[in-house]
């Protein structure tokens, strides 16, 4: 290999090795370190793991986070699907491009500020309750509830889910859909037996992204969900910031990564699995 | 007839989804000009007070300066790394190319809060945390994949014979790169630089963990939101939005106008 090729190949290996793989492997190692007198010491002990895995509050957080991220994924998938369907089949390609461009905008507006807006909109004396109050309803408690958390998760993920679902649906072969209709297949049946199976890979990948983003988000459960119980990301922040217990936070982070690996592997297997002969 | 009703319902649903997505964005811009401390309906009177206070706030000015330094430096490093990797992927075949590409493409799939903890721990272990350049390092890792993706798409469109022709005509690999590849990639390079700067400008989780006392604008927003309800946030948020959108629109102009056409 000549020098020219090396100059282009090496930088990313060095950079990501030092600053991407380095941090991740160090974090795994750190989960076995000890903290003595507020100072972290290199060690290989299972104490942090033993402590975190036997605490009820950790598992409460774990299942709560899994449940909330899972609910957000189901809700986002169901809410996005009709919208993506409309974009894929009921508008022209030019309109679709424009709408997708619009859907990219939210990624570049501060997610914190959008969450803060929801806080104001959903509060007891907020926009929605004031509006409902004038016609004699409410007030409803929406903040500090699972509902608030899911609204926050959707704020983060819904644009992406709509985009990915639209791309998946727009790319399926129209002739197959038309053939099903010509052979007398009803529209609902066409949807279930032809369109959804054909777009399966994209739909599952969209759901997977929604899950990963929700699972790792601390803003929505903290500000809109009231943090009761705290989700795993909030647990990481609390353990790191207030307790100086970085090794314990690392245990939670590694638990999260293992969970995500398992879920991503399952999702990808489902997404690319061929249907058995039927 | 029923098909038309179905279409109407679907488009109506699409509209609702859009309302949900854009309501918080529109609301924050409106609230930023509202006089009441806690924004409700009906709105108070129009005021630019929120903007006046943030322009007068020294801490926010400092944060804005930090944010600009971080996002500009990040965009230079990430675009350079992205270009080198995209060019390697375009031109060479070699063993372990899969893992090599995974190295640059994987960071976005890992939750930011995990990256934040890992970066904080590692950077402080090697004595590099709490500095402005700690954020730059972290953001370059996180944004390089986006630069790589844009540049790779552009390189996909080049005729490989062009570079080969330059070599045959006696130009060195460096010369061919400078006279053939780089000019061809220029719009994508600008686009990648804008996009990576925009992502860095908005990122708060990792910046919050590794920044120490050097706060960026999103970290300030996070702290204000943690404190109490303060309409300042809407004004800052609107300005951040304006900055990021300018960068994204620039990226789009260069990307769609040039890359899309050829």
């Amino acid at each position: 290999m000549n020098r020219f090729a090396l100059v282009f190949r090496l930088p990313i290996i060095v950079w990501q090795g030092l600053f991407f793989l380095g941090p991740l492997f160090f974090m795994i190692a750190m989960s076995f370190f000890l903290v003595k007198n507020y100072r972290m010491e290199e060690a290989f002990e299972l104490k942090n793991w033993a402590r975190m895995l036997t605490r009820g509050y950790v598992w409460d957080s774990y299942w709560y986070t899994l449940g909330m991220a899972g609910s957000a994924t189901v809700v986002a998938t169901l809410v996005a699907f009709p919208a993506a369907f409309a974009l894929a089949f009921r508008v022209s390609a030019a309109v679709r491009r424009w709408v997708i461009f619009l859907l990219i905008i939210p990624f570049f507006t501060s997610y914190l500020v959008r969450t803060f807006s929801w806080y104001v909109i959903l509060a007891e004396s907020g926009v929605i309750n004031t509006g409902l109050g004038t016609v004699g309803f409410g007030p409803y408690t929406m903040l500090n509830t699972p509902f608030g958390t899911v609204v926050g998760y959707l704020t983060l993920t819904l644009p992406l889910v709509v985009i990915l679902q639209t791309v998946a649906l727009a790319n399926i072969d129209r002739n197959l859909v038309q053939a099903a209709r010509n052979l007398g297949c009803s529209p609902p049946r066409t949807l279930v037996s032809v369109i959804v199976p054909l777009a399966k890979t994209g739909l599952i990948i969209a759901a997977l992204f929604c899950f990963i983003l929700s699972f790792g988000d601390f803003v929505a459960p903290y500000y809109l969900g009231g943090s009761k119980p705290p989700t795993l990301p909030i647990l990481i922040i609390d353990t790191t910031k207030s307790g100086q217990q970085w090794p314990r936070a690392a245990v939670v982070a590694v638990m999260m990564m293992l969970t995500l690996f398992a879920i991503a592997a399952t999702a990808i297997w489902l997404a690319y699995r061929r249907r058995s002969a039927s | 007839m029923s098909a038309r009703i179905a279409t109407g319902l679907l488009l109506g649903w699409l509209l609702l989804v859009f309302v949900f997505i854009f309501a918080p964005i529109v609301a924050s811009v409106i609230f930023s000009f509202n006089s009441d401390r806690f924004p409700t309906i009906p709105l108070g009177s129009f005021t630019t007070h929120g903007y006046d206070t943030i322009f007068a706030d020294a801490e926010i000015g400092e944060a804005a300066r930090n944010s600009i330094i971080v996002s500009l430096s990040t965009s230079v490093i990430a675009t350079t790394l992205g270009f080198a990797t995209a060019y390697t992927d375009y031109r060479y075949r070699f063993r372990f190319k899969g893992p090599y590409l995974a190295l640059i493409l994987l960071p976005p799939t890992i939750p930011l809060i995990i990256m934040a903890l890992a970066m904080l721990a590692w950077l402080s272990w090697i004595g590099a945390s709490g500095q402005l350049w700690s954020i730059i390092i972290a953001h370059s890792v996180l944004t390089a994949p986006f630069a790589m993706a844009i540049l790779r798409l552009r390189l996909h469109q080049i005729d490989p014979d062009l570079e080969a022709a330059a070599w045959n005509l006696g130009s060195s690999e460096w010369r061919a790169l400078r006279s053939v590849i780089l000019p061809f990639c220029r719009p994508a390079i600008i686009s990648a630089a804008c996009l990576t700067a925009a992502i860095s400008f908005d990122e708060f989780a990792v910046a919050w963990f590794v920044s120490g006392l050097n706060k960026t604008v999103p970290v300030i927003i996070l702290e204000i939101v943690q404190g109490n309800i303060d309409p300042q946030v809407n004004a800052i948020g609107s300005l951040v939005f304006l900055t990021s959108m300018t960068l994204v629109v620039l990226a789009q102009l260069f990307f769609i106008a040039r890359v899309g056409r050829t």
Side-chain angles (χ1 to χ4, degrees):
Chain A
M1 200 191 325
N2 65 17
R3 224 178 70 202
F4 181 83
L6 271 180
V7 165
F8 288 90
R9 198 169 308 179
L10 279 184
I12 199 70
I13 298 179
V14 174
W15 189 267
Q16 302 295 79
L18 267 177
F19 301 121
F20 175 57
L21 295 182
L24 285 182
F25 283 113
F26 182 73
M27 188 183 69
I28 296 170
M30 187 172 76
S31 71
F32 301 103
F33 286 8
L34 293 176
V35 175
K36 282 181 187 157
N37 302 325
Y38 303 103
R39 287 186 61 85
M40 206 161 63
E41 281 177 17
E42 274 176 83
F44 189 79
E45 299 271 354
L46 290 170
K47 279 187 182 160
N48 305 304
W49 281 92
R51 186 189 157 88
M52 293 310 267
L53 293 182
T54 52
R55 287 295 183 280
Y57 74 94
V58 176
W59 288 107
D60 288 348
S61 286
Y62 185 84
W63 295 115
Y64 182 73
T65 314
L66 215 55
M68 290 311 293
S71 317
T73 305
V74 172
V75 173
T77 302
L78 295 179
V79 167
F81 189 79
F85 189 88
L87 284 173
F89 295 110
R90 301 296 154 96
V91 300
S92 68
V95 172
R96 191 184 313 141
R97 257 201 309 278
W98 269 104
V99 172
I100 288 180
F101 174 66
L102 283 178
L103 285 171
I104 293 172
I105 290 179
F107 292 108
F108 298 98
T109 66
S110 166
Y111 172 49
L112 282 169
V113 174
R114 280 184 287 153
T115 307
F116 179 75
S117 273
W118 276 121
Y119 186 91
V120 170
I121 294 171
L122 299 178
E124 295 267 317
S125 56
V127 175
I128 289 182
N129 274 324
T130 324
L132 288 175
T134 55
V135 288
F137 288 104
Y140 299 100
T141 306
M142 289 174 281
L143 285 179
N144 303 331
T145 63
F147 173 79
T149 306
V150 171
V151 166
Y153 284 160
L154 292 189
T155 307
L156 182 67
T157 60
L158 196 56
L160 182 66
V161 176
V162 174
I163 291 173
L164 292 176
Q165 285 192 354
T166 303
V167 172
L169 290 170
N171 280 339
I172 66 180
D173 187 349
R174 300 298 165 99
N175 291 327
L176 294 173
V177 180
Q178 202 54 50
R181 297 286 289 122
N182 289 344
L183 292 168
C185 196
S186 70
R189 177 93 197 276
T190 310
L191 181 68
V192 174
S193 313
V194 180
I195 296 177
V196 170
L198 283 173
K200 186 186 74 175
T201 303
L203 298 179
I204 294 178
I205 296 298
L208 176 62
F209 269 102
C210 178
F211 185 86
I212 293 175
L213 286 172
S214 306
F215 194 67
D217 174 44
F218 68 89
V219 175
Y222 190 86
Y223 295 106
L224 300 176
S227 188
K228 274 180 199 158
T231 60
L232 296 176
I234 297 175
L235 208 57
I236 290 182
I237 293 172
D238 288 347
T239 317
T240 313
K241 291 262 171 187
S242 51
Q244 290 293 325
Q245 279 288 354
W246 293 6
R248 284 182 200 160
V251 170
V252 179
V254 175
M255 279 171 78
M256 282 181 72
M257 286 195 59
L258 292 175
T259 309
L260 283 177
F261 276 138
I263 285 171
T266 314
I268 289 167
W269 175 73
L270 281 174
Y272 290 98
R273 186 182 53 150
R274 295 270 171 81
R275 282 188 127 188
S276 52
S278 52
Chain B
M1 191 58 207
S2 72
R4 199 178 283 172
I5 294 172
T7 304
L9 285 175
L10 283 170
L11 292 177
W13 186 260
L14 177 63
L15 190 70
L16 284 178
V17 168
F18 259 76
V19 169
F20 177 86
I21 290 173
F22 285 94
I25 299 172
V26 174
S28 85
V29 176
I30 294 174
F31 294 151
S32 75
F33 291 107
N34 185 26
S35 63
D36 295 346
R37 193 166 160 71
F38 188 81
T40 49
I41 298 286
L43 293 165
S45 56
F46 177 89
T47 174
T48 54
H49 180 72
Y51 292 91
D52 298 337
T53 48
I54 61 169
F55 282 122
D57 191 322
E59 198 189 14
I60 293 174
E62 175 75 23
R65 209 181 55 100
N66 286 343
S67 274
I68 291 166
I69 295 174
V70 167
S71 60
L72 287 182
S73 316
T74 298
S75 82
V76 171
I77 297 174
T79 307
T80 309
L81 290 169
F83 179 80
T85 314
Y87 182 73
T88 302
D89 180 35
Y90 155 79
R91 206 182 132 184
Y92 300 100
R93 287 164 190 278
F94 50 93
R95 282 178 69 191
F96 305 118
K97 197 169 170 183
Y100 172 81
L101 293 176
L103 206 53
I104 189 171
L105 294 175
L106 274 183
T109 62
I110 295 178
L112 285 170
I113 193 68
I114 293 178
M115 287 311 299
L117 174 65
M119 293 271 189
L120 168 69
W122 174 245
L123 290 179
S124 36
W125 195 254
I126 62 173
S129 82
Q131 308 293 326
L132 214 49
W133 43 267
S134 320
I135 316 178
I136 296 170
I137 289 174
H139 280 181
S140 316
V141 171
L142 299 175
T143 57
F146 299 97
M148 145 85 183
I150 289 176
L151 289 159
R152 188 64 189 88
L153 277 176
R154 180 60 174 166
L155 284 168
H156 189 65
Q157 297 170 327
I158 201 169
D159 183 348
D161 293 343
L162 281 179
E163 200 183 13
W167 299 331
N168 288 341
L169 292 169
S171 107
S172 71
E173 285 184 303
W174 287 106
R175 179 79 201 277
L177 181 84
R178 207 175 63 227
S179 320
V180 179
I181 302 286
L182 281 180
F184 187 82
C185 285
R186 189 179 302 140
I189 289 172
I190 298 173
S191 183
C194 291
L195 194 71
T196 48
I199 299 172
S200 161
F201 198 76
D202 253 354
E203 201 286 326
F204 55 89
V206 176
W208 181 37
F209 268 60
V210 302
S211 62
L213 299 172
N214 305 284
K215 294 164 192 160
T216 59
V217 172
V219 175
I220 293 265
I221 297 181
L222 187 70
E223 290 189 345
I224 297 177
V225 176
Q226 275 173 337
N228 48 17
I229 297 146
D230 191 329
Q232 268 192 337
V233 165
N234 292 310
I236 307 177
S238 301
L239 291 177
V240 173
F241 174 51
L242 205 65
T243 314
S244 313
M245 271 326 288
T246 311
L247 288 169
V248 175
V249 168
L250 282 177
Q252 282 279 337
L253 283 178
F254 281 100
F255 195 60
I256 288 186
R258 305 288 188 77
V259 182
R261 207 172 292 151
T262 28

